[in-house]
Amino acid sequence: MRQPLHKLHVFVAPAAAGLALSAAPAFAGLTTIADSGGEASHLEIFDATYGGGFVADGAGFISASVSVERIDDEEDIAFGFGSFSARSIARFAKLDQSFGYIDAGGDFQGLFEETGRNFNVTGSVGTTVLDTPVTFARLGTGGIVSSDPAANSDGRDHLITYKVTTGLDDPFYVLFFEDLFGTAADDDFQDLVVEVRPVSMVPTPAAAGLGLALMGALTLRRRRDA
């Protein structure tokens, strides 16, 4: 069930963009991730979630079977897929955390509330169909943070995104949110961590049958008109 609407006071409609992160070192054009201060790092979160054995690889990570590429911070403002599922995988924050998106009117639409702490977390949503592009957001104590920095009250980037490729299924994305604003933020970007998987929409058997029937009718009509 969607949560009540919350108005995002500043909203700049983003252009469609592609969707990728970094360990603590800074890389050109990428938002710097601060040390996690004893909490799990991004590498450790991938280790715990996707099988272990990860090492740093440029701005991302790699293991024997999984490749993790950090998305350029100018390319995770809006996501160019309209169908997706999502699940919570980690939360290293005391504040409430809800995951959702910003609609065309600038309102936060909640998809799920994350419960639990560290890796013992719950919260998910099944296949969700939206108009593209999708601007993801976090709501909780302190307010709303959006994947669009221009929409955030401090004008800062609050989202780090990685593209994950396993070779066994289609690539998916892991979103790392920073939940506080300005100097209050610790910039470790693991307050809310969500896996988002694009979904290919496959016609149901009934819909497929209807499509074939329509194609047959069109073919028959063309033959009659010839």
Side-chain angles (χ1 to χ4, degrees):
M1 178 179 296
R2 288 182 180 176
Q3 300 176 17
L5 295 179
H6 295 264
K7 193 70 174 179
L8 187 63
H9 298 296
V10 180
F11 179 75
V12 178
L19 299 196
L21 184 190
S22 157
F27 292 85
L30 299 180
T31 299
T32 301
I33 303 167
D35 183 87
S36 56
E39 296 176 334
S41 67
H42 290 197
L43 185 150
E44 290 168 333
I45 290 172
F46 280 107
D47 252 354
T49 308
Y50 301 109
F54 282 92
V55 296
D57 181 42
F61 311 104
I62 194 167
S63 73
S65 58
V66 181
S67 175
V68 178
E69 173 193 4
R70 180 171 174 176
I71 300 299
D72 189 289
D73 292 314
E74 294 183 354
E75 296 182 351
D76 69 350
I77 294 172
F79 294 74
F81 47 78
S83 304
F84 61 90
S85 62
R87 70 181 181 103
S88 174
I89 61 175
R91 170 188 172 189
F92 289 88
K94 296 180 180 179
L95 303 181
D96 296 337
Q97 307 287 338
S98 292
F99 177 70
Y101 64 96
I102 304 300
D103 67 18
D107 295 310
F108 177 87
Q109 297 284 358
L111 294 173
F112 63 80
E113 181 179 355
E114 185 179 55
T115 60
R117 292 284 301 278
N118 302 336
F119 295 109
N120 185 24
V121 292
T122 60
S124 63
V125 64
T127 300
T128 302
V129 182
L130 300 174
D131 293 333
T132 57
V134 180
T135 303
F136 287 117
R138 167 267 178 202
L139 169 70
T141 309
I144 299 169
V145 297
S146 165
S147 59
D148 180 5
N152 295 325
S153 61
D154 57 2
R156 300 179 63 200
D157 187 13
H158 282 257
L159 176 66
I160 302 294
T161 304
Y162 298 90
K163 179 180 178 180
V164 182
T165 305
T166 67
L168 299 176
D169 49 17
D170 293 334
F172 57 91
Y173 300 88
V174 181
L175 281 54
F176 288 71
F177 284 92
E178 174 61 43
D179 62 0
L180 293 179
F181 296 93
T183 57
D186 57 12
D187 292 332
D188 52 12
F189 290 89
Q190 32 79 305
D191 299 313
L192 171 64
V193 186
V194 176
E195 176 191 281
V196 177
R197 290 181 178 260
V199 175
S200 298
M201 302 304 291
V202 178
T204 63
L210 177 60
L212 290 173
L214 289 173
M215 289 177 62
L218 287 172
T219 301
L220 179 59
R221 180 175 178 179
R222 288 170 182 162
R223 287 176 178 172
R224 288 176 177 173
D225 293 340

